[in-house]
Amino acid sequence: MSADAARRLVNAEGADPLILAGVGDANLRELQSLFRVRVVLRDDHVNLAGAPESVAEAARVAGHMVHLARLGRSFRAADVTRFATGLDGGEPMPGGGDEDPLRLALPGGRRVSPRSEGQRAYLQAMEDSDVVVGIGPAGTGKTYLAVARAVGELFRKRVRRIVLARPAVEAGESLGFLPGDLQEKVDPYLRPLYDALEDMIPPVRVRREIGDRTIEIVPLAYMRGRTLSDAFVILDEAQNATAAQMKMFLTRIGVNSRVVITGDKTQIDLPRSEPSGLLQIEAILRNVHGIEFVYLDASDVTRHRLVKDIIRAYEAADGLPEANGDERS
């Protein structure tokens, strides 16, 4: 271990060691992998060692894990990753206490708080505007926060249903070669939306809500001809919606509906000859009253700490010939 490595002990007295460590120490191994620190549970303490910044971040997550283990609330390695995002379970940012109107209450007593100024602006826009367009790179919480807001609105009975849509652009003509019926073919493209929902609502309840169509998860193409009233509607991965699809989607909005559109302009998978609907609405709808654009950047990333560095490295390389062979890939 290098001379400048930091060490920290997190008091785990009173915590159930089986819950804290997980099956086969899976929770501790996940913590170690996420922050690249050494993690050892010994003598009622979680021992952390590694780079000072990484140890500090790991200690925050370890403290939350200990808290849950003391309450006897089980969690898995996947939950440790979620704790590390800061969207749940961490200390709220300044001004983000329990009375913060932007702190979202979810079923089962869970809370989701903004973790950056950009995320606060994004949630505030959802409060103030009927249509919100969230644009930013991966890991900034665009989809997660939108789904959390939708779930909160549904369970406070402010809307009657949630509709989550995504383009299935990557499938293209190869869709017919995938096994299964049409729903089975498109499900892989909708899986991130299922994952976000199941992180907030028990899976059994998700299936029940989907079964009675209180929650719909659909390919964007399925939206044609519908009118969506009294609903919270999310269009995810909107950079892959064509201009025609985007117009179709926006004209589905009915009475008492709220809409959130999320996208990443650096991840357009459409053919070069097909303009992105996200880029188009950014140009033509910016001054329409009731539509708000919110821009997130690397400072709003709440995934693994390396994601920020990766995004910034790509931004720094933008414009270099060898790093810019296809800026829409």
Side-chain angles (χ1 to χ4, degrees):
M1 184 174 295
S2 63
D4 59 351
R7 296 176 181 273
R8 188 155 173 181
L9 297 179
V10 177
N11 186 0
E13 186 175 359
D16 185 323
L18 295 178
I19 292 178
L20 182 58
V23 178
D25 291 339
N27 295 340
L28 299 181
R29 287 189 283 107
E30 185 68 11
L31 183 66
Q32 182 167 287
S33 174
L34 284 169
F35 296 104
R36 297 188 177 182
V37 297
R38 184 168 178 266
V39 180
V40 177
L41 178 60
R42 182 180 299 153
D43 299 329
D44 288 331
H45 286 87
V46 179
N47 296 261
L48 304 171
E53 181 181 348
S54 298
V55 167
E57 293 179 358
R60 177 185 65 80
V61 176
H64 184 60
M65 294 165 61
V66 168
H67 174 67
L68 294 179
R70 283 174 177 154
L71 295 175
R73 292 174 55 184
S74 298
F75 55 90
R76 301 172 298 169
D79 297 310
V80 176
T81 301
R82 177 166 54 81
F83 303 153
T85 68
L87 290 171
D88 178 64
E91 293 299 320
M93 61 182 297
D98 287 337
E99 301 306 315
D100 184 355
L102 297 181
R103 187 174 172 87
L104 305 177
L106 301 178
R110 283 199 50 204
R111 298 289 186 271
V112 171
S113 298
R115 304 302 305 171
S116 69
E117 289 303 326
Q119 289 186 355
R120 288 187 70 79
Y122 185 42
L123 286 173
Q124 187 63 58
M126 291 186 219
E127 181 74 22
D128 297 339
S129 302
D130 289 336
V131 178
V132 175
V133 184
I135 298 175
T140 50
K142 303 184 302 296
T143 302
Y144 194 96
L145 289 174
V147 173
R149 182 62 189 242
V151 169
E153 295 289 281
L154 177 67
F155 286 95
R156 283 198 296 271
K157 300 188 184 303
R158 293 183 177 179
V159 295
R160 289 191 300 108
R161 55 181 170 160
I162 296 172
V163 179
L164 308 175
R166 240 186 180 218
V169 167
E170 300 90 339
E173 293 181 353
S174 65
L175 192 64
F177 294 98
L178 295 174
D181 59 22
L182 185 57
Q183 189 61 47
E184 290 171 325
K185 293 174 192 292
V186 299
D187 269 356
Y189 302 97
L190 305 176
R191 174 47 53 187
L193 298 174
Y194 285 100
D195 290 343
L197 273 175
E198 291 175 358
D199 194 40
M200 301 171 196
I201 309 173
V204 171
R205 190 168 184 176
V206 171
R207 289 193 292 272
R208 184 173 70 243
E209 303 288 358
I210 290 175
D212 64 16
R213 301 183 70 81
T214 300
I215 297 175
E216 291 185 66
I217 305 178
V218 297
L220 177 58
Y222 286 22
M223 303 286 283
R224 191 173 301 278
R226 303 183 61 185
T227 299
L228 300 174
S229 300
D230 202 16
F232 199 109
V233 188
I234 299 172
L235 173 58
D236 193 36
E237 296 287 335
Q239 74 275 3
N240 288 328
T242 67
Q245 286 176 327
M246 182 64 76
K247 182 178 179 181
M248 176 272 291
F249 172 79
L250 287 170
T251 54
R252 301 305 95 200
I253 302 172
V255 177
N256 192 38
S257 284
R258 310 297 289 272
V259 173
V260 178
I261 297 169
T262 72
D264 178 354
K265 294 191 293 184
T266 69
Q267 296 292 329
I268 299 175
D269 297 314
L270 292 169
R272 284 184 173 276
S273 60
E274 189 75 69
S276 167
L278 180 65
L279 300 184
Q280 187 183 70
I281 63 168
E282 188 183 20
I284 68 176
L285 298 183
R286 181 175 300 280
N287 297 319
V288 175
H289 181 68
I291 300 178
E292 187 166 351
F293 288 79
V294 179
Y295 293 87
L296 302 166
D297 58 31
S299 66
D300 302 302
V301 170
T302 53
R303 287 183 184 170
H304 193 286
R305 60 185 179 82
L306 282 176
V307 175
K308 285 186 182 182
D309 296 335
I310 290 167
I311 290 170
R312 285 175 173 147
Y314 271 96
E315 289 173 347
D318 190 33
L320 297 178
E322 65 272 20
N324 202 26
D326 183 358
E327 61 184 18
R328 285 183 32 159
S329 62

